[in-house]
Amino acid sequence: MRRALVLAATPGVPMVADTRRVGCVLLDDAGRTVAEGHHRGPGTPHAEAEALARAGAAARGTTAVVTLEPCHHTGRTGPCTEALVRAGVRRVVYAEADANPVAAGGRAALEAAGIEVESGLLADEAARLAEVYRVALREQRPFVTWKFAATLDGRSAAADGTSRWVSGRAARLDTHRLRALCDTMLVGTNTVAVDDPLLTVRDEDGVALDVQPLRAVMGERGLDPARRVFNDDAETVHLRTRDPHVALADLGARGRQHVLLEGGPTLAAAFLRAGLVDEIVAYVAPVLLGAGRSAVGDLGITGIDQAFRPVVADVTVLPGIDGEEPNVRLTLTPRAPSTPAPRRKD
Protein backbone atom coordinates (compact mmCIF):
# COMPACT_ATOMS: atom_id res chain seq x y z
CA MET A 1 0.00 0.00 0.00
CA ARG A 2 2.88 2.38 0.68
CA ARG A 3 4.05 1.81 -2.89
CA ALA A 4 0.52 2.52 -4.15
CA LEU A 5 0.55 5.79 -2.18
CA VAL A 6 3.87 6.72 -3.79
CA LEU A 7 2.37 6.06 -7.21
CA ALA A 8 -0.68 8.15 -6.33
CA ALA A 9 1.62 11.07 -5.50
CA THR A 10 3.46 10.89 -8.83
CA PRO A 11 3.95 14.45 -10.16
CA GLY A 12 2.14 15.82 -13.17
CA VAL A 13 -1.53 15.12 -12.44
CA PRO A 14 -3.50 18.33 -13.15
CA MET A 15 -5.23 20.06 -10.23
CA VAL A 16 -8.80 19.33 -11.31
CA ALA A 17 -11.57 19.24 -8.70
CA ASP A 18 -13.13 15.96 -9.77
CA THR A 19 -9.87 14.10 -10.32
CA ARG A 20 -8.62 11.88 -7.51
CA ARG A 21 -5.01 10.77 -7.32
CA VAL A 22 -4.96 6.99 -7.06
CA GLY A 23 -2.25 4.33 -7.14
CA CYS A 24 -2.59 0.59 -7.72
CA VAL A 25 -0.21 -2.36 -7.33
CA LEU A 26 -1.04 -5.90 -8.50
CA LEU A 27 0.59 -8.67 -6.43
CA ASP A 28 0.85 -12.39 -7.09
CA ASP A 29 0.34 -15.01 -4.36
CA ALA A 30 4.00 -14.74 -3.34
CA GLY A 31 3.69 -10.97 -2.83
CA ARG A 32 5.68 -10.10 -5.94
CA THR A 33 4.67 -7.08 -8.00
CA VAL A 34 3.00 -8.03 -11.28
CA ALA A 35 2.16 -4.53 -12.48
CA GLU A 36 1.57 -0.98 -11.25
CA GLY A 37 -0.54 1.96 -12.33
CA HIS A 38 -1.67 5.41 -11.29
CA HIS A 39 -4.29 7.88 -12.48
CA ARG A 40 -2.75 10.56 -14.69
CA GLY A 41 -5.63 13.01 -15.04
CA PRO A 42 -9.11 13.55 -16.53
CA GLY A 43 -10.02 11.15 -19.31
CA THR A 44 -7.05 8.84 -18.74
CA PRO A 45 -7.32 5.25 -17.49
CA HIS A 46 -7.82 4.88 -13.77
CA ALA A 47 -5.02 3.36 -11.70
CA GLU A 48 -6.58 -0.10 -11.70
CA ALA A 49 -7.16 -0.07 -15.46
CA GLU A 50 -3.58 0.99 -16.16
CA ALA A 51 -2.17 -1.74 -13.91
CA LEU A 52 -4.46 -4.38 -15.46
CA ALA A 53 -3.47 -3.36 -18.98
CA ARG A 54 0.20 -3.68 -18.10
CA ALA A 55 -0.32 -7.07 -16.47
CA GLY A 56 -2.41 -8.59 -19.26
CA ALA A 57 -3.23 -12.25 -18.63
CA ALA A 58 -0.93 -12.24 -15.58
CA ALA A 59 -3.56 -10.23 -13.69
CA ARG A 60 -5.68 -13.35 -13.15
CA GLY A 61 -5.56 -14.49 -9.54
CA THR A 62 -3.71 -11.41 -8.28
CA THR A 63 -4.41 -9.10 -5.36
CA ALA A 64 -5.08 -5.48 -6.34
CA VAL A 65 -3.81 -3.02 -3.71
CA VAL A 66 -5.44 0.37 -4.33
CA THR A 67 -5.39 3.66 -2.44
CA LEU A 68 -9.09 4.33 -3.14
CA GLU A 69 -12.14 2.07 -3.34
CA PRO A 70 -12.53 1.05 -7.01
CA CYS A 71 -15.22 3.06 -8.74
CA HIS A 72 -18.51 1.54 -9.85
CA HIS A 73 -19.76 4.07 -12.37
CA THR A 74 -19.22 5.02 -15.98
CA GLY A 75 -17.82 8.50 -16.49
CA ARG A 76 -14.99 9.42 -18.86
CA THR A 77 -13.89 5.79 -18.46
CA GLY A 78 -15.65 2.56 -17.52
CA PRO A 79 -16.15 1.14 -14.02
CA CYS A 80 -12.98 -0.18 -12.42
CA THR A 81 -15.03 -2.85 -10.66
CA GLU A 82 -15.99 -4.41 -14.00
CA ALA A 83 -12.39 -4.27 -15.22
CA LEU A 84 -11.18 -6.08 -12.09
CA VAL A 85 -13.85 -8.75 -12.42
CA ARG A 86 -13.11 -9.32 -16.11
CA ALA A 87 -9.38 -9.61 -15.41
CA GLY A 88 -9.98 -12.35 -12.84
CA VAL A 89 -8.50 -10.49 -9.86
CA ARG A 90 -8.93 -12.65 -6.76
CA ARG A 91 -8.69 -10.05 -3.99
CA VAL A 92 -8.86 -6.28 -3.61
CA VAL A 93 -7.35 -4.30 -0.72
CA TYR A 94 -8.02 -0.56 -0.63
CA ALA A 95 -7.13 2.20 1.82
CA GLU A 96 -9.96 4.72 1.67
CA ALA A 97 -13.64 4.35 0.85
CA ASP A 98 -14.88 6.60 -1.96
CA ALA A 99 -17.02 9.31 -0.39
CA ASN A 100 -18.35 10.40 -3.78
CA PRO A 101 -21.89 8.95 -3.99
CA VAL A 102 -21.65 8.84 -7.79
CA ALA A 103 -18.57 6.60 -7.75
CA ALA A 104 -19.29 4.64 -4.56
CA GLY A 105 -20.56 1.07 -4.37
CA GLY A 106 -17.37 -0.54 -5.56
CA ARG A 107 -16.98 -2.86 -2.60
CA ALA A 108 -20.50 -4.26 -2.86
CA ALA A 109 -20.10 -4.85 -6.60
CA LEU A 110 -16.79 -6.65 -6.13
CA GLU A 111 -18.09 -8.85 -3.34
CA ALA A 112 -21.19 -9.70 -5.38
CA ALA A 113 -18.84 -10.94 -8.09
CA GLY A 114 -17.05 -13.22 -5.62
CA ILE A 115 -13.93 -11.08 -5.10
CA GLU A 116 -12.51 -10.94 -1.58
CA VAL A 117 -12.34 -7.32 -0.36
CA GLU A 118 -10.47 -5.70 2.54
CA SER A 119 -10.37 -2.01 3.38
CA GLY A 120 -8.80 0.51 5.74
CA LEU A 121 -5.11 -0.29 5.22
CA LEU A 122 -3.17 2.99 5.74
CA ALA A 123 -6.48 4.83 5.45
CA ASP A 124 -5.18 7.87 7.35
CA GLU A 125 -2.30 8.32 4.92
CA ALA A 126 -4.62 7.96 1.94
CA ALA A 127 -6.99 10.57 3.38
CA ARG A 128 -4.06 12.89 4.03
CA LEU A 129 -2.94 12.53 0.43
CA ALA A 130 -6.40 13.54 -0.75
CA GLU A 131 -6.41 16.56 1.57
CA VAL A 132 -3.08 17.71 0.15
CA TYR A 133 -4.53 18.01 -3.33
CA ARG A 134 -7.78 19.58 -2.17
CA VAL A 135 -5.73 22.35 -0.55
CA ALA A 136 -3.51 22.68 -3.64
CA LEU A 137 -6.59 23.09 -5.79
CA ARG A 138 -8.24 25.61 -3.47
CA GLU A 139 -5.14 27.74 -2.85
CA GLN A 140 -3.77 27.40 -6.41
CA ARG A 141 -0.32 26.63 -5.04
CA PRO A 142 1.44 23.53 -3.74
CA PHE A 143 0.58 22.23 -0.28
CA VAL A 144 3.59 22.81 2.00
CA THR A 145 4.79 20.41 4.69
CA TRP A 146 7.63 21.69 6.85
CA LYS A 147 9.72 18.81 8.19
CA PHE A 148 12.52 19.15 10.71
CA ALA A 149 14.41 17.16 13.32
CA ALA A 150 15.38 18.74 16.62
CA THR A 151 16.71 18.02 20.08
CA LEU A 152 14.68 18.50 23.24
CA ASP A 153 16.00 22.06 23.43
CA GLY A 154 15.02 22.84 19.84
CA ARG A 155 18.45 22.56 18.20
CA SER A 156 18.80 21.21 14.67
CA ALA A 157 22.61 21.29 14.74
CA ALA A 158 25.41 21.59 17.28
CA ALA A 159 27.53 24.68 17.81
CA ASP A 160 30.12 23.42 15.31
CA GLY A 161 27.40 22.98 12.66
CA THR A 162 27.26 19.18 12.76
CA SER A 163 23.79 17.67 12.54
CA ARG A 164 24.35 13.97 11.68
CA TRP A 165 22.54 12.61 13.40
CA VAL A 166 20.17 14.62 15.57
CA SER A 167 17.41 12.08 15.09
CA GLY A 168 17.51 8.30 15.33
CA ARG A 169 17.46 5.80 12.48
CA ALA A 170 13.72 5.16 12.85
CA ALA A 171 13.01 8.87 12.37
CA ARG A 172 15.28 9.00 9.33
CA LEU A 173 13.52 6.03 7.78
CA ASP A 174 10.19 7.70 8.46
CA THR A 175 11.47 10.82 6.72
CA HIS A 176 11.96 8.81 3.54
CA ARG A 177 8.36 7.58 3.84
CA LEU A 178 7.29 11.23 4.08
CA ARG A 179 9.48 12.22 1.14
CA ALA A 180 7.93 9.49 -0.98
CA LEU A 181 4.48 11.03 -0.49
CA CYS A 182 5.60 14.43 -1.82
CA ASP A 183 6.42 15.49 -5.36
CA THR A 184 8.97 18.18 -4.43
CA MET A 185 11.67 18.62 -1.79
CA LEU A 186 12.71 22.23 -1.19
CA VAL A 187 15.86 23.51 0.50
CA GLY A 188 17.72 26.80 0.59
CA THR A 189 21.04 27.56 -1.06
CA ASN A 190 22.81 27.65 2.32
CA THR A 191 21.72 24.09 3.09
CA VAL A 192 23.13 22.94 -0.24
CA ALA A 193 26.39 24.83 0.26
CA VAL A 194 26.97 23.70 3.86
CA ASP A 195 25.32 20.27 4.20
CA ASP A 196 25.57 19.04 0.58
CA PRO A 197 22.39 16.90 0.86
CA LEU A 198 21.57 14.25 -1.72
CA LEU A 199 17.79 14.75 -1.35
CA THR A 200 16.57 11.45 -2.72
CA VAL A 201 14.03 8.91 -1.47
CA ARG A 202 15.46 5.54 -0.42
CA ASP A 203 14.00 2.36 1.00
CA GLU A 204 15.02 0.64 4.25
CA ASP A 205 18.04 -0.90 2.50
CA GLY A 206 19.23 2.46 1.20
CA VAL A 207 18.18 1.75 -2.39
CA ALA A 208 16.78 4.73 -4.31
CA LEU A 209 13.15 4.42 -5.39
CA ASP A 210 12.30 4.46 -9.08
CA VAL A 211 10.04 7.51 -8.67
CA GLN A 212 11.88 10.51 -7.20
CA PRO A 213 10.48 13.91 -6.19
CA LEU A 214 11.77 17.07 -7.80
CA ARG A 215 14.69 18.59 -5.90
CA ALA A 216 14.20 22.37 -5.66
CA VAL A 217 16.79 24.81 -4.35
CA MET A 218 15.58 28.30 -3.43
CA GLY A 219 17.79 31.38 -3.23
CA GLU A 220 19.75 33.88 -5.31
CA ARG A 221 23.18 32.58 -4.32
CA GLY A 222 25.23 30.82 -6.99
CA LEU A 223 26.09 27.21 -6.23
CA ASP A 224 28.86 24.79 -7.14
CA PRO A 225 27.42 22.41 -9.79
CA ALA A 226 29.41 19.62 -8.13
CA ARG A 227 27.04 19.66 -5.14
CA ARG A 228 25.25 16.30 -4.83
CA VAL A 229 21.82 17.81 -5.32
CA PHE A 230 22.75 18.50 -8.96
CA ASN A 231 23.65 14.90 -9.81
CA ASP A 232 21.62 12.65 -12.10
CA ASP A 233 19.77 10.77 -9.34
CA ALA A 234 16.74 13.06 -9.74
CA GLU A 235 15.66 16.26 -11.46
CA THR A 236 16.74 19.51 -9.80
CA VAL A 237 15.64 23.10 -10.33
CA HIS A 238 17.23 26.25 -8.88
CA LEU A 239 14.57 28.84 -8.00
CA ARG A 240 16.47 32.10 -7.98
CA THR A 241 14.27 33.95 -5.52
CA ARG A 242 14.05 34.52 -1.77
CA ASP A 243 10.30 35.08 -1.85
CA PRO A 244 8.25 32.00 -0.83
CA HIS A 245 5.25 33.22 -2.83
CA VAL A 246 7.32 33.42 -6.00
CA ALA A 247 8.90 30.02 -5.37
CA LEU A 248 5.54 28.29 -4.88
CA ALA A 249 4.08 30.00 -7.94
CA ASP A 250 7.00 28.67 -9.98
CA LEU A 251 6.58 25.15 -8.62
CA GLY A 252 2.82 25.27 -9.17
CA ALA A 253 3.40 26.27 -12.79
CA ARG A 254 5.56 23.15 -13.10
CA GLY A 255 2.63 21.00 -11.98
CA ARG A 256 3.95 20.43 -8.45
CA GLN A 257 1.35 20.01 -5.74
CA HIS A 258 3.08 18.91 -2.51
CA VAL A 259 6.29 20.55 -1.33
CA LEU A 260 8.32 19.09 1.53
CA LEU A 261 10.21 21.99 3.07
CA GLU A 262 13.53 20.56 4.27
CA GLY A 263 15.69 23.66 4.39
CA GLY A 264 17.29 25.30 7.38
CA PRO A 265 15.92 27.79 9.94
CA THR A 266 15.99 30.82 7.62
CA LEU A 267 13.91 29.13 4.92
CA ALA A 268 11.48 27.73 7.49
CA ALA A 269 11.00 31.15 9.06
CA ALA A 270 10.37 32.76 5.67
CA PHE A 271 7.55 30.33 4.88
CA LEU A 272 6.05 30.59 8.37
CA ARG A 273 6.10 34.38 8.25
CA ALA A 274 4.40 34.29 4.87
CA GLY A 275 1.66 31.98 6.18
CA LEU A 276 2.60 29.34 3.62
CA VAL A 277 3.05 26.28 5.83
CA ASP A 278 0.09 23.89 5.78
CA GLU A 279 1.54 21.12 7.93
CA ILE A 280 4.44 20.61 10.32
CA VAL A 281 6.12 17.26 10.90
CA ALA A 282 8.66 17.45 13.74
CA TYR A 283 10.95 14.63 14.84
CA VAL A 284 12.06 15.23 18.43
CA ALA A 285 15.03 13.27 19.78
CA PRO A 286 15.90 12.77 23.47
CA VAL A 287 19.09 14.81 23.10
CA LEU A 288 20.28 18.06 24.69
CA LEU A 289 22.87 20.35 23.09
CA GLY A 290 22.48 23.61 25.01
CA ALA A 291 23.83 25.59 22.06
CA GLY A 292 23.80 25.43 18.30
CA ARG A 293 21.48 26.18 15.41
CA SER A 294 17.79 26.57 16.13
CA ALA A 295 15.28 24.63 14.05
CA VAL A 296 13.61 27.90 12.98
CA GLY A 297 14.85 31.44 12.47
CA ASP A 298 13.46 34.84 13.44
CA LEU A 299 9.69 35.01 13.14
CA GLY A 300 9.40 38.65 14.14
CA ILE A 301 7.69 37.69 17.39
CA THR A 302 8.48 39.82 20.42
CA GLY A 303 5.88 38.68 22.96
CA ILE A 304 4.35 35.41 24.07
CA ASP A 305 0.93 36.65 22.96
CA GLN A 306 2.20 36.63 19.36
CA ALA A 307 3.46 33.05 19.44
CA PHE A 308 2.61 30.51 16.77
CA ARG A 309 0.56 27.82 18.45
CA PRO A 310 -0.08 24.99 16.00
CA VAL A 311 -2.75 22.37 16.56
CA VAL A 312 -1.45 18.89 17.35
CA ALA A 313 -2.94 16.39 14.91
CA ASP A 314 -0.88 13.33 15.85
CA VAL A 315 1.80 12.17 18.30
CA THR A 316 3.64 8.96 17.42
CA VAL A 317 6.52 7.32 19.27
CA LEU A 318 9.03 5.82 16.83
CA PRO A 319 10.74 2.88 18.58
CA GLY A 320 14.51 2.97 18.66
CA ILE A 321 16.50 0.71 16.33
CA ASP A 322 19.64 -1.18 17.37
CA GLY A 323 19.55 0.11 20.93
CA GLU A 324 18.75 3.75 20.11
CA GLU A 325 16.32 5.66 22.25
CA PRO A 326 12.84 6.26 20.74
CA ASN A 327 12.07 9.50 18.91
CA VAL A 328 8.73 11.29 18.85
CA ARG A 329 7.03 12.40 15.64
CA LEU A 330 4.66 15.34 16.01
CA THR A 331 2.28 16.21 13.19
CA LEU A 332 0.76 19.66 13.55
CA THR A 333 -1.46 22.06 11.65
CA PRO A 334 -0.35 25.71 11.89
CA ARG A 335 -2.75 28.46 12.76
CA ALA A 336 -2.08 32.16 12.46
CA PRO A 337 -0.55 34.01 15.42
CA SER A 338 -2.82 36.42 17.27
CA THR A 339 -0.71 39.29 15.90
CA PRO A 340 0.73 38.52 12.44
CA ALA A 341 4.48 38.86 12.19
CA PRO A 342 5.60 41.63 9.82
CA ARG A 343 7.03 40.63 6.44
CA ARG A 344 10.75 41.09 6.10
CA LYS A 345 11.74 43.88 3.73
CA ASP A 346 14.23 41.60 1.97
Side-chain angles (χ1 to χ4, degrees):
M1 186 61 79
R2 291 202 186 282
R3 176 58 181 165
L5 286 165
V6 170
L7 291 167
T10 300
V13 176
M15 290 189 292
V16 178
D18 63 348
T19 299
R20 291 293 302 270
R21 298 177 63 96
V22 183
C24 176
V25 179
L26 297 180
L27 302 175
D28 64 16
D29 287 340
R32 295 183 294 255
T33 298
V34 175
E36 299 178 339
H38 70 276
H39 191 204
R40 301 171 186 273
T44 65
H46 286 189
E48 301 95 319
E50 182 176 83
L52 291 171
R54 289 178 173 175
R60 182 163 298 277
T62 59
T63 293
V65 182
V66 197
T67 57
L68 182 68
E69 179 184 9
C71 70
H72 187 56
H73 83 294
T74 300
R76 297 184 181 95
T77 59
C80 289
T81 51
E82 293 182 6
L84 292 164
V85 172
R86 285 196 307 270
V89 169
R90 178 181 62 83
R91 178 170 170 244
V92 172
V93 179
Y94 64 84
E96 184 186 20
D98 197 331
N100 183 349
V102 175
R107 177 172 191 144
L110 292 170
E111 289 178 332
I115 294 178
E116 180 185 347
V117 181
E118 297 180 28
S119 62
L121 181 62
L122 300 185
D124 289 345
E125 292 191 23
R128 175 178 172 275
L129 183 67
E131 176 61 17
V132 163
Y133 298 101
R134 282 193 289 268
V135 171
L137 177 68
R138 183 179 69 243
E139 301 295 332
Q140 289 297 293
R141 62 160 176 81
F143 184 100
V144 176
T145 296
W146 171 40
K147 184 278 298 180
F148 69 94
T151 62
L152 286 175
D153 51 349
R155 307 293 179 179
S156 61
D160 64 356
T162 56
S163 60
R164 297 182 180 179
W165 296 103
V166 166
S167 60
R169 183 164 178 261
R172 298 196 298 275
L173 288 173
D174 195 71
T175 292
H176 283 277
R177 175 198 62 81
L178 182 62
R179 285 179 172 182
L181 293 175
C182 301
D183 60 33
T184 306
M185 292 181 286
L186 178 63
V187 297
T189 52
N190 190 63
T191 294
V192 172
V194 175
D195 296 340
D196 193 21
L198 183 57
L199 286 185
T200 56
V201 183
R202 299 178 292 280
D203 63 19
E204 293 185 5
D205 298 320
V207 178
L209 300 187
D210 293 336
V211 179
Q212 291 289 334
L214 174 71
R215 300 179 295 193
V217 182
M218 175 180 160
E220 298 172 347
R221 174 181 180 178
L223 292 168
D224 182 352
R227 298 284 88 181
R228 296 197 301 167
V229 76
F230 295 115
N231 67 17
D232 295 331
D233 290 354
E235 181 185 357
T236 302
V237 61
H238 188 173
L239 309 174
R240 294 184 179 274
T241 179
R242 299 174 65 188
D243 188 328
H245 295 275
V246 174
L248 290 185
D250 188 315
L251 291 171
R254 297 172 187 268
R256 305 292 156 164
Q257 300 175 357
H258 190 179
V259 171
L260 183 61
L261 190 62
E262 294 214 46
T266 301
L267 192 66
F271 275 78
L272 286 167
R273 290 172 67 100
L276 293 174
V277 173
D278 302 294
E279 177 184 57
I280 300 171
V281 178
Y283 297 95
V284 182
V287 177
L288 290 171
L289 288 174
R293 186 174 65 193
S294 172
V296 64
D298 179 18
L299 295 177
I301 293 172
T302 57
I304 194 67
D305 59 324
Q306 300 172 3
F308 280 91
R309 299 183 184 275
V311 177
V312 177
D314 178 73
V315 179
T316 298
V317 177
L318 303 174
I321 297 176
D322 297 332
E324 291 180 332
E325 290 297 317
N327 284 193
V328 175
R329 184 188 68 216
L330 299 171
T331 304
L332 311 102
T333 301
R335 55 186 172 192
S338 56
T339 302
R343 284 189 71 176
R344 298 174 69 97
K345 293 181 179 178
D346 56 359

